[in-house]
Amino acid sequence: MEGQKVIFDIETTGLDPEQDEILQFSAINENGEVLLNTYIKPISHTEWKDAEAINHISMEMVSDCKTMEELLPEIQAIFDNCSEMIAYNFNFDFAFLYKAGIKFCYGTIIFDPMIDFAEIYGEWSNYYGNYKWQKLTTAAYYYGYNFDDLAHDSLEDVKATL
């Protein structure tokens, strides 16, 4: 389906796209249809205790999964056939996907709801001189979407973003 909006999210072994790896990738379209939801076996990491405490993804959960290299064509096809990319905290996900080898099409619309929600929520940061970015859970609650026990599963995060 060329020209669709793609809402996507990842879960990772940590916060550094230069050293950490993607553990889960999920993408849905604007109708909520799942385009891909998969765990990913890391190549370099065998544990990620700090990240696991947040995303609950263990080595056992990903040990028999495909690697990012194996999934690259399938994930690339999703981005090749979209007119708009939507992700909460877009730059974080983008950095990891770019480092993993995803090529993003020039001219594709990028939308990060986190940026718009910061102003809607209205918490000012004197340090940055701008509205403070809020967690996805905060935005979800604000709009009456409760996914407490499911947050930080990339599929549930894209559903909340939608």
Side-chain angles (χ1 to χ4, degrees):
M1 292 195 315
E2 192 168 305
Q4 66 185 341
K5 295 178 181 181
V6 173
I7 301 96
F8 66 96
D9 186 59
I10 62 171
E11 297 301 328
T12 64
T13 60
L15 301 175
D16 184 353
E18 295 300 318
Q19 296 180 18
D20 290 304
E21 298 175 82
I22 299 172
L23 294 172
Q24 185 182 16
F25 174 85
S26 299
I28 61 175
N29 65 18
E30 66 267 28
N31 299 318
E33 298 165 333
V34 176
L35 304 174
L36 182 62
N37 177 41
T38 187
Y39 288 115
I40 302 168
K41 180 180 179 178
I43 302 170
S44 303
H45 289 74
T46 57
E47 66 178 14
W48 44 88
K49 293 189 185 303
D50 291 342
E52 186 177 343
I54 296 168
N55 62 32
H56 309 292
I57 300 172
S58 66
M59 184 59 176
E60 293 76 27
M61 292 172 67
V62 298
S63 62
D64 293 330
C65 296
K66 292 180 179 178
T67 65
M68 186 63 183
E69 184 177 348
E70 293 170 314
L71 288 164
L72 209 54
E74 191 173 356
I75 294 172
Q76 184 65 61
I78 291 170
F79 290 111
D80 287 348
N81 294 310
C82 75
S83 61
E84 185 172 350
M85 299 181 292
I86 302 167
Y88 202 90
N89 195 3
F90 182 90
N91 288 337
F92 179 83
D93 295 3
F94 174 87
F96 274 89
L97 290 166
Y98 182 79
K99 178 68 176 172
I102 296 295
K103 308 290 187 242
F104 293 93
C105 299
Y106 178 77
T108 302
I109 297 167
I110 296 169
F111 180 64
D112 185 342
M114 182 180 71
I115 305 302
D116 286 354
F117 181 69
E119 187 172 352
I120 292 166
Y121 194 76
E123 184 178 344
W124 187 258
S125 168
N126 287 327
Y127 181 79
Y128 289 109
N130 207 337
Y131 292 102
K132 183 179 175 191
W133 294 345
Q134 301 296 320
K135 294 179 180 181
L136 177 58
T137 51
T138 302
Y141 287 136
Y142 184 87
Y143 290 105
Y145 187 88
N146 183 349
F147 70 130
D148 240 356
D149 297 333
L150 303 173
H152 300 293
D153 171 272
S154 64
L155 182 59
E156 295 303 324
D157 288 357
V158 294
K159 289 177 182 177
T161 300
L162 178 64

